[in-house]
């Protein structure tokens, strides 16, 4: 079973490349970039409803949405990152949707105002408002991680942790963002120490 990932590493495609590195299986990487000749080409638009990367192609299935792709890959391959029971599957889906809805919008806002925009265009007040809005979901994560012995599902590092950590990635330039949530900070440290994370970061640097 092999698959193709479309998207350059310096986009949300990095989340899927991270998962692919965790699986350690061969795959094809098509470096589609956002914009003309990339995501706006008719061929790519035929793959992605929103014309956005990443896209996964596998066994005739075409999937968009980075975090959903990761859930699918975790289930498609025999890996400890995937669910062992229907209950684990439900929890992994829950934490993935939590990452997408409760964490990502404000974490992205923090990223925009700490790293992504040129310094003159960054708005510290917008960054601080986003950080304040993250306090509640980060506290919820903290409670779950403490109860789970450091992981969200099944007492081991799973796709739920990976998907959440791929959003915590946005907070890397905001020192102190995880200071009030030591278990979340510990998960982020663990995620960064994984060889698959380091491999993904190398792909980002290569472009
Ligand atoms: N919710 C989507 C968002 C994907 C997304 O925004 N991709 C950006 C790159 S990070 C993109 O393709 N932008 C090009 C465009 O919107 O035209 C996901 O998680 O996959």
């Amino acid at each position: 079973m092999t698959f193709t990932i479309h998207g350059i590493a310096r986009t949300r495609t990095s989340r899927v490349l991270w998962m692919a590195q965790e699986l350690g299986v061969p795959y094809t990487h098509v470096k589609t970039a956002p914009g003309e000749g990339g995501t706006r080409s008719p061929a790519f638009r035929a793959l992605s409803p929103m014309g956005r990367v990443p896209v996964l192609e596998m066994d005739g299935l075409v999937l968009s949405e980075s975090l959903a792709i990761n859930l699918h890959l975790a289930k498609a391959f025999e890996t400890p990152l995937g669910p062992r029971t229907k209950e684990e599957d439900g929890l992994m889906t829950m934490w993935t949707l939590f990452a997408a809805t409760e964490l990502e919008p404000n974490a992205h806002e923090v990223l925009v105002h700490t790293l992504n925009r040129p310094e003159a265009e960054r708005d510290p007040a917008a960054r601080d408002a986003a950080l304040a809005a993250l306090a509640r979901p980060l506290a919820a994560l903290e409670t779950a991680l403490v109860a789970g012995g450091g992981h969200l599902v099944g007492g081991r590092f799973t796709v739920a942790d990976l998907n959440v950590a791929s959003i915590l990635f946005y907070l890397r330039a905001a020192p102190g963002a995880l200071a009030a949530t030591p278990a979340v900070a510990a998960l982020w440290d663990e995620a960064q120490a994984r060889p698959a994370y380091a491999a993904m970061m190398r792909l980002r640097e290569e472009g």
Side-chain angles (χ1 to χ4, degrees):
M1 188 160 48
T2 185
F3 55 87
T4 299
I5 297 169
H6 299 259
I8 56 170
R10 281 188 170 275
T11 63
R12 287 171 175 84
T13 307
S14 60
R15 303 167 180 178
V16 177
L17 292 168
W18 180 1
M19 173 56 86
Q21 302 299 321
E22 294 279 358
L23 296 173
V25 297
Y27 66 95
T28 303
H29 184 193
V30 180
K31 295 184 179 179
T32 307
E36 295 305 329
T39 53
R40 297 212 189 120
S41 74
F44 185 78
R45 294 303 297 251
L47 287 177
S48 165
M50 289 285 286
R52 287 184 173 154
V53 289
V55 164
L56 175 82
E57 283 191 275
M58 188 164 126
D59 293 336
L61 175 72
V62 182
L63 279 186
S64 288
E65 291 301 328
S66 54
L67 303 180
I69 291 171
N70 281 352
L71 276 177
H72 182 71
L73 288 174
K75 292 184 217 179
F77 290 85
E78 288 214 356
T79 163
L81 274 75
R84 291 180 176 151
T85 62
K86 284 188 181 141
E87 289 73 21
E88 284 195 1
D89 192 7
L91 288 167
M92 289 176 192
T93 304
M94 180 188 85
W95 285 116
T96 294
L97 289 175
F98 175 92
T101 60
E102 305 291 352
L103 290 179
E104 181 164 15
N106 283 307
H108 189 261
E109 188 74 353
V110 172
L111 177 75
V112 161
H113 294 293
T114 51
L115 263 189
N116 273 11
R117 285 201 185 147
E119 215 158 330
E121 293 169 29
R122 293 178 198 160
D123 177 353
R127 179 203 58 210
D128 290 347
L131 281 168
L134 281 168
R136 187 172 169 188
L138 288 176
L141 261 186
E142 179 75 7
T143 302
L145 287 168
V146 169
H151 296 110
L152 290 169
V153 182
R156 63 188 191 281
F157 189 88
T158 70
V159 63
D161 301 302
L162 190 154
N163 277 348
V164 163
S166 73
I167 308 295
L168 298 177
F169 184 68
Y170 286 173
L171 303 178
R172 66 195 183 281
L178 304 181
T181 53
V184 179
L187 174 66
W188 173 230
D189 287 345
E190 181 192 355
Q192 290 175 90
R194 293 182 74 81
Y197 175 90
M200 174 276 284
M201 289 301 278
R202 282 194 294 278
L203 291 174
R204 282 178 69 91
E205 278 150 29
E206 283 165 26

